[in-house]
Amino acid sequence: MSKQQNILIIGAGLCGSLLALRLGQRGYNVSVYEMRPDLRKVDISAGRSINLAFSNRGNKAMKLVGLEDKVKALCIPMNGRMIHDEHGNTFQSNYSGREHEYINSISRGELNALLLDEAEKHKNVNIHFNKKCKSVDFEKTTALFKDYNSKDEFVEDADIIIATDGAGSAMRKSYYLGKKFLFSFSQAYLTHGYKELSILPKENGDYKIHKNALHIWPRGSFMLIALPNLDGSFTVTLFLSYDEGEYNFNNLTTEDKVLEFFQNQFPDALAVMPNLLEDFFENPTAPLGTIKCSPWHYQGNTLLMGDAAHAIVPFYGQGMNASFEDVVEFDKVLDQNLGDWETTFKAYENTRKKDTDAIADLAIDNFHEMKGHVNHAIFQEKRKLEMALEKEFPNAYSSKYSLVTFNEAIGYKEAMLKGRAQDKAIINMLSDKEIDIKGNLKDILDKVKTETEAILEDDRIAGLNQ
Amino acid sequence: MSKQQNILIIGAGLCGSLLALRLGQRGYNVSVYEMRPDLRKVDISAGRSINLAFSNRGNKAMKLVGLEDKVKALCIPMNGRMIHDEHGNTFQSNYSGREHEYINSISRGELNALLLDEAEKHKNVNIHFNKKCKSVDFEKTTALFKDYNSKDEFVEDADIIIATDGAGSAMRKSYYLGKKFLFSFSQAYLTHGYKELSILPKENGDYKIHKNALHIWPRGSFMLIALPNLDGSFTVTLFLSYDEGEYNFNNLTTEDKVLEFFQNQFPDALAVMPNLLEDFFENPTAPLGTIKCSPWHYQGNTLLMGDAAHAIVPFYGQGMNASFEDVVEFDKVLDQNLGDWETTFKAYENTRKKDTDAIADLAIDNFHEMKGHVNHAIFQEKRKLEMALEKEFPNAYSSKYSLVTFNEAIGYKEAMLKGRAQDKAIINMLSDKEIDIKGNLKDILDKVKTETEAILEDDRIAGLNQ
């Protein structure tokens, strides 16, 4: 594990370029191979999410590599969800009762470019584009690449290989197909897919709808969302079933039908999307999958990180944040100087996997919450109560959303267990009229804390919290 | 879906031969292709579980096809678990407080042979052996086979194909590799593997240890179990980690070490296993995996059933029972005459998958219970209490084990939800001293029922029971 070791990173996306930067800062010899062209020279955004939610866990990583200020300049704060109902009415539901807690919309391309620039400032970091990884021989610690320009295939050798090549990881596929060890693996698709659309800026460059919010049009079994971009536009995403319900991706095949769907369901959005039909029929429909696997490493030779190890659905806005946090956690394990890579990889997976499993499950829960529950009376009452508690007792109360998104000092698993118990406590007490939003807030806080602790304790005794 | 339709079944194991029999009884033209030789002519048991737990859900299927009495003749009742502690002390823990509720040990080979014999009595059922399925073209509804004798490959066509080819299903692999539709899939391995051993009969043919029990030697992180065979022997299975703990499969490589392990941990078992070393080094070590997937069907062309759709770990004794219940549930859907195969397959998966997911999770829970909890004071107190409740109130109380194993009128999912809530209620009330095993049983029953319903209701309101 000496600094002269050669580390090969597969994939120079958000996770790979951050990892290259951090390992470069630590003095390792780092070679990165990326299948796409250099996004600083070619526009390759078509069809992919062009903006993402960036929050505290991601920022923790930016602090680690000294980029907090540069990244802040790319961020558009979103203080809450702006809910749009069927009649075009809107109301904002903040993410936290504490004013300094909000999430940000950030451009995937701009952020990736910044990380590549910073990584390349280290002369011990070399990044190669247009080199697609075809497979990894994890026993020999070599990777097979194909050069997109020359069409040549070549093999690269390294002391260790870390694959950050995303949800479709070539190295994970080699683990699966190799059958050299027991590899637990799951891919789980939602019945819904997604399609990206857009709200373009006004002619004067202004935003057509409120800039500082994550807009949601929840409709029970489907929804539309929109996140702002720095150029005055919004990236809009439609989440819809492939084949169920009156309108679905399989039957939205004509311009008339698409217009009818938006006219019926999202009239206020349609009014600011004159380019809807063009977007709808030009952009692909993509699936929503969760990937989990284990082990992430093969002995001390190879390691999966980021989406390659744990791809999640986008509904908690944590995909990028979780991958960035991977690098922070890996860096902490490196600080422990465990002596060899196998021990290091094992320690990293032991501390990290429980948390990436948790955010995967939380993201699926939030899918149901966003498309449906945000509209339900009892959910809205709970949110109102939690906002009031966070505002009144900023140091004593955090909702599940806050625990996951803004409390970067605890892991996702702890946030999930505590957050779910709190949700259960509040919803049951509201439903049983044991608490009332008009009651004394200090009494409510005490009741929520007591009931939450009782739920956690009952689960612990029954062995349900492992 | 007329009776003249040709149905191709891949695999003539327990599920496939039962399915062939039932579809034969219903009048379909059934062709079955099995990769192994005919087990009625060749002994192919080596290394596979040679006995299995047979209980009510399996028996429901035997009733459906009119084989209840013939199967009963193959059964050895096991009334409970016989626990063997480290010092060789034993105590029996019955499976139910109701005397007529017990599970059975049955020979896989004998039962399979019976089902094959009965299926072949129908002249519309044809079974072909030594024909290995290599892949399925689910769009064309054809399957590619290789004949083990002639080495020829050939393609078979059918109106529908049902794959009952077990955990390593060739058709499921074709679904996965085909990438023609979104196929959710998971394979999850335990850190433990298993190895089969044996306790041979006495010279006079008698059983060396108590016949009518499932013997367990629980040791916290590993265990040994034994099930009786009709010939006076027991099939013994060692469940042990591959690489953790002082003794594991990776380091049990010498005769001395294996003997030392058994001498330390299972002295009473070792005393009746003079053939231990031979068994240990001749028999393979096999992994323990859970497989889930969805969808099970491709349009109206193909369907996965049994282990091919949902392989589970063996710790609830429900693997075969679940596969047999698949056939009962599929038969019920056929009775509905839904008009076409796609609607039929979809209806079957909609009613069935929630239950096979549940038994998969229950089986993993039971792994931890069997190797550890059965030895814990609070667990033993709970079991004692539940036995007393079942005995005193045979119509009003069933433990989780009874709900899963003996209440075949409800599905696994319902059994799991109710059983887990009951467990949580009892363990928490015992731990809080709200109930005491010496108290009035009717009071305890009322408290358990009230608390269980409260737990289920709280979970329902919080949306946790989906």
Side-chain angles (χ1 to χ4, degrees):
Chain A
M1 297 181 62
S2 76
K3 297 299 159 105
Q4 286 71 49
Q5 287 221 304
N6 296 310
I7 300 180
L8 193 163
I9 296 175
I10 304 170
L14 292 167
C15 184
S17 53
L18 172 65
L19 180 68
L21 167 57
R22 184 59 194 156
L23 295 178
Q25 289 176 337
R26 293 187 76 107
Y28 291 105
N29 290 323
V30 180
S31 302
V32 188
Y33 291 82
E34 163 61 40
M35 73 174 184
R36 294 192 178 79
D38 188 342
L39 56 73
R40 295 165 297 183
K41 297 172 186 162
V42 187
D43 177 20
I44 53 167
S45 64
R48 303 190 73 212
S49 318
I50 59 172
N51 57 23
L52 296 161
F54 175 78
S55 53
N56 295 37
R57 293 177 195 275
N59 198 47
K60 190 167 57 174
M62 296 305 102
K63 283 182 192 167
L64 176 70
V65 295
L67 288 181
E68 192 181 12
D69 291 338
K70 287 188 181 170
V71 170
K72 195 165 188 140
L74 302 175
C75 285
I76 303 175
M78 299 185 289
N79 299 96
R81 296 169 172 166
M82 180 72 78
I83 314 284
H84 298 246
D85 76 11
E86 289 88 340
H87 312 292
N89 303 315
T90 59
F91 59 97
Q92 182 156 343
S93 167
N94 278 359
Y95 282 119
S96 166
R98 287 171 286 265
E99 284 204 359
H100 64 278
E101 291 181 346
Y102 52 82
I103 64 174
N104 303 278
S105 178
I106 195 167
S107 153
R108 175 195 284 271
E110 298 273 349
L111 179 57
N112 206 152
L114 171 65
L115 292 168
L116 291 170
D117 285 346
E118 296 292 326
E120 284 188 333
K121 286 182 183 170
H122 297 266
K123 62 176 192 285
N124 50 328
V125 175
N126 287 289
I127 308 176
H128 311 273
F129 294 93
N130 295 305
K131 310 278 188 287
K132 180 186 167 65
C133 179
K134 299 193 68 175
S135 64
V136 173
D137 186 329
F138 45 85
E139 291 177 306
K140 293 186 182 151
T141 324
T142 59
L144 173 66
F145 292 94
K146 179 170 184 171
D147 187 305
Y148 270 130
N149 295 327
S150 71
K151 312 290 176 203
D152 289 344
E153 295 196 351
F154 60 97
V155 170
E156 286 292 316
D157 199 345
D159 293 307
I160 63 166
I161 297 176
I162 303 181
T164 53
D165 50 348
S169 173
M171 188 164 93
R172 198 186 62 234
K173 200 171 159 190
S174 294
Y175 279 8
Y176 180 82
L177 295 176
K179 294 181 194 268
K180 300 284 173 117
F181 58 96
L182 295 181
F183 186 55
S184 293
F185 167 71
S186 76
Q187 60 183 33
Y189 293 101
L190 297 182
T191 52
H192 286 53
Y194 74 94
K195 189 186 281 284
E196 286 183 354
L197 308 165
S198 60
I199 295 173
L200 300 179
K202 291 185 187 170
E203 281 195 16
N204 66 2
D206 282 355
Y207 293 87
K208 282 187 184 163
I209 56 176
H210 180 60
K211 174 184 177 186
N212 293 111
L214 191 155
H215 294 262
I216 312 185
W217 290 256
R219 296 296 180 265
S221 57
F222 52 89
M223 68 170 165
L224 197 68
I225 69 167
L227 278 76
N229 296 311
L230 285 171
D231 67 359
S233 69
F234 289 81
T235 302
V236 177
T237 312
L238 172 65
F239 297 96
L240 180 69
S241 173
Y242 279 101
D243 55 9
E244 285 173 1
E246 187 185 351
Y247 299 102
N248 59 52
F249 277 124
N250 288 352
N251 72 24
L252 286 179
T253 51
T254 64
E255 297 198 342
D256 283 352
K257 188 120 192 206
V258 172
L259 279 177
E260 174 193 309
F261 175 50
F262 273 74
Q263 190 62 60
N264 285 347
Q265 299 292 332
F266 313 114
D268 59 334
L270 180 60
V272 289
M273 297 171 74
N275 51 317
L276 168 67
L277 292 176
E278 199 179 315
D279 284 348
F280 196 95
F281 290 104
E282 274 186 9
N283 292 342
T285 305
L288 293 159
T290 299
I291 287 170
K292 295 179 181 173
C293 66
S294 178
W296 289 343
H297 66 102
Y298 177 75
Q299 296 179 356
N301 297 357
T302 58
L303 176 69
L304 297 165
M305 277 178 85
D307 282 4
H310 49 74
I312 66 180
V313 294
F315 304 104
Y316 230 109
Q318 287 292 323
M320 170 180 66
N321 293 289
S323 292
F324 281 0
E325 200 179 45
D326 279 4
V327 177
V328 176
E329 293 299 312
F330 187 63
D331 190 68
K332 278 189 203 165
V333 178
L334 288 177
D335 282 344
Q336 295 173 33
N337 291 308
L338 295 173
D340 64 80
W341 287 112
E342 182 163 11
T343 312
T344 301
F345 293 168
K346 199 173 270 185
Y348 166 68
E349 183 169 347
N350 276 347
T351 58
R352 187 62 180 154
K353 184 166 161 59
K354 65 179 188 323
D355 289 320
T356 58
D357 283 351
I359 191 60
D361 296 345
L362 283 163
I364 289 171
D365 292 351
N366 233 32
F367 170 53
H368 301 294
E369 178 173 322
M370 286 175 79
K371 69 185 169 53
H373 303 179
V374 288
N375 259 345
H376 286 184
I378 203 159
F379 176 85
Q380 286 175 14
E381 217 175 328
K382 179 173 89 70
R383 281 305 288 169
K384 239 182 256 174
L385 186 61
E386 291 193 287
M387 288 303 102
L389 290 173
E390 289 189 336
K391 201 165 181 174
E392 191 77 11
F393 310 104
N395 300 315
Y397 190 78
S398 287
S399 70
K400 181 174 80 181
Y401 189 88
S402 290
L403 290 167
V404 171
T405 308
F406 306 122
N407 286 30
E408 71 272 24
I410 65 170
Y412 287 122
K413 171 98 183 269
E414 189 183 339
M416 178 179 76
L417 292 177
K418 186 168 179 190
R420 283 182 172 175
Q422 271 178 187
D423 282 355
K424 188 173 171 182
I426 296 177
I427 286 175
N428 276 294
M429 289 197 294
L430 280 173
S431 152
D432 296 346
K433 317 271 183 216
E434 286 177 40
I435 53 173
D436 185 305
I437 186 130
K438 294 183 198 101
N440 177 290
L441 271 179
K442 183 68 177 66
D443 289 349
I444 294 175
L445 178 69
D446 291 343
K447 279 186 183 169
V448 169
K449 286 200 166 259
T450 304
E451 183 62 18
T452 299
E453 197 34 61
I455 289 170
L456 287 169
E457 180 65 13
D458 278 2
D459 284 352
R460 259 193 295 272
I461 291 172
L464 298 176
N465 270 355
Q466 281 118 29
Chain B
M1 298 182 63
S2 76
K3 297 299 160 100
Q4 287 70 49
Q5 287 220 304
N6 296 310
I7 300 181
L8 193 163
I9 296 175
I10 304 170
L14 292 167
C15 185
S17 54
L18 172 65
L19 180 68
L21 167 56
R22 184 59 194 156
L23 294 178
Q25 289 176 335
R26 294 188 75 108
Y28 292 105
N29 290 322
V30 180
S31 302
V32 188
Y33 291 82
E34 163 61 39
M35 71 173 185
R36 295 192 177 77
D38 189 341
L39 55 73
R40 295 165 297 183
K41 298 171 185 161
V42 187
D43 178 19
I44 52 168
S45 66
R48 304 191 71 212
S49 316
I50 58 171
N51 58 24
L52 294 161
F54 174 78
S55 53
N56 295 35
R57 292 176 197 275
N59 198 46
K60 190 168 56 173
M62 297 304 103
K63 284 182 191 166
L64 176 70
V65 295
L67 289 180
E68 192 180 12
D69 292 338
K70 288 188 180 169
V71 170
K72 195 164 186 141
L74 303 175
C75 286
I76 304 175
M78 298 185 289
N79 299 97
R81 297 168 172 168
M82 180 72 79
I83 315 284
H84 298 245
D85 75 12
E86 288 87 338
H87 313 292
N89 304 314
T90 58
F91 59 96
Q92 182 155 342
S93 166
N94 278 359
Y95 282 119
S96 166
R98 288 170 285 265
E99 283 202 1
H100 64 280
E101 290 181 346
Y102 52 83
I103 65 174
N104 302 279
S105 179
I106 194 166
S107 152
R108 175 196 284 272
E110 297 274 349
L111 180 56
N112 207 152
L114 172 64
L115 292 169
L116 291 170
D117 285 345
E118 297 292 326
E120 283 187 333
K121 285 182 183 169
H122 296 267
K123 62 175 192 289
N124 50 328
V125 175
N126 288 289
I127 308 177
H128 312 272
F129 294 94
N130 297 304
K131 312 278 187 289
K132 180 186 168 63
C133 179
K134 300 192 69 176
S135 63
V136 173
D137 186 329
F138 46 84
E139 290 177 307
K140 292 186 183 152
T141 324
T142 59
L144 173 67
F145 293 95
K146 180 171 184 171
D147 187 305
Y148 270 129
N149 296 326
S150 70
K151 312 290 176 202
D152 290 342
E153 295 196 350
F154 60 97
V155 170
E156 285 292 317
D157 198 344
D159 293 306
I160 62 165
I161 297 175
I162 303 181
T164 53
D165 51 347
S169 173
M171 188 165 91
R172 198 187 62 235
K173 200 170 160 193
S174 294
Y175 279 6
Y176 180 80
L177 295 175
K179 293 183 195 265
K180 300 282 174 122
F181 58 96
L182 294 181
F183 185 56
S184 293
F185 167 71
S186 77
Q187 60 182 33
Y189 294 101
L190 296 182
T191 51
H192 286 54
Y194 74 95
K195 189 186 278 287
E196 286 184 354
L197 308 165
S198 59
I199 296 173
L200 300 178
K202 291 185 187 169
E203 281 195 17
N204 66 3
D206 281 355
Y207 292 86
K208 282 186 185 163
I209 56 176
H210 180 59
K211 175 184 177 187
N212 294 111
L214 190 155
H215 295 262
I216 312 185
W217 291 256
R219 296 295 180 266
S221 57
F222 52 89
M223 69 170 165
L224 198 68
I225 70 168
L227 277 77
N229 297 311
L230 285 171
D231 68 359
S233 69
F234 289 81
T235 302
V236 178
T237 311
L238 172 64
F239 297 96
L240 179 68
S241 174
Y242 279 100
D243 56 8
E244 286 172 0
E246 185 184 350
Y247 299 102
N248 58 53
F249 277 123
N250 288 352
N251 70 24
L252 286 178
T253 52
T254 65
E255 297 198 342
D256 284 353
K257 187 120 193 206
V258 172
L259 280 177
E260 174 194 308
F261 175 51
F262 273 74
Q263 191 62 62
N264 285 347
Q265 298 292 332
F266 314 114
D268 58 334
L270 179 60
V272 290
M273 297 171 74
N275 50 316
L276 168 68
L277 293 176
E278 201 179 314
D279 285 347
F280 196 95
F281 291 103
E282 274 187 9
N283 292 343
T285 305
L288 294 158
T290 299
I291 287 170
K292 294 179 181 173
C293 65
S294 178
W296 289 344
H297 67 102
Y298 177 75
Q299 297 179 355
N301 298 357
T302 59
L303 175 70
L304 298 166
M305 276 178 87
D307 282 5
H310 49 77
I312 65 181
V313 294
F315 305 104
Y316 229 109
Q318 286 293 322
M320 170 179 65
N321 293 290
S323 291
F324 280 1
E325 200 179 47
D326 279 4
V327 177
V328 176
E329 292 300 312
F330 187 63
D331 191 68
K332 277 189 204 166
V333 178
L334 288 177
D335 282 345
Q336 295 172 33
N337 292 308
L338 295 174
D340 64 81
W341 287 113
E342 182 163 11
T343 311
T344 301
F345 292 169
K346 200 173 270 185
Y348 166 67
E349 183 170 349
N350 276 346
T351 58
R352 186 62 179 154
K353 184 165 163 57
K354 65 180 188 323
D355 289 320
T356 57
D357 283 351
I359 191 59
D361 296 346
L362 284 163
I364 290 171
D365 291 353
N366 233 32
F367 170 54
H368 302 293
E369 179 172 321
M370 286 175 78
K371 69 186 168 54
H373 302 179
V374 290
N375 260 344
H376 286 185
I378 203 159
F379 176 85
Q380 286 175 14
E381 216 176 326
K382 178 174 89 72
R383 281 305 288 168
K384 239 182 254 173
L385 186 63
E386 290 194 286
M387 288 303 101
L389 290 174
E390 289 189 337
K391 200 166 181 174
E392 190 78 10
F393 311 105
N395 300 316
Y397 190 78
S398 288
S399 71
K400 182 175 78 181
Y401 189 88
S402 290
L403 290 167
V404 171
T405 308
F406 306 122
N407 286 30
E408 70 272 24
I410 64 170
Y412 288 122
K413 170 100 184 266
E414 188 183 340
M416 177 179 77
L417 291 177
K418 185 167 181 190
R420 283 182 172 174
Q422 271 179 189
D423 282 356
K424 189 174 171 181
I426 296 176
I427 287 176
N428 276 294
M429 290 196 296
L430 281 173
S431 154
D432 296 346
K433 318 271 186 217
E434 285 178 41
I435 53 174
D436 185 305
I437 185 130
K438 296 181 198 102
N440 177 293
L441 271 180
K442 182 68 175 68
D443 290 348
I444 293 175
L445 177 69
D446 291 343
K447 279 187 184 170
V448 170
K449 287 200 167 259
T450 304
E451 184 61 18
T452 300
E453 197 36 58
I455 288 170
L456 287 170
E457 180 64 14
D458 278 2
D459 283 353
R460 258 193 296 273
I461 291 171
L464 297 175
N465 270 355
Q466 282 118 28

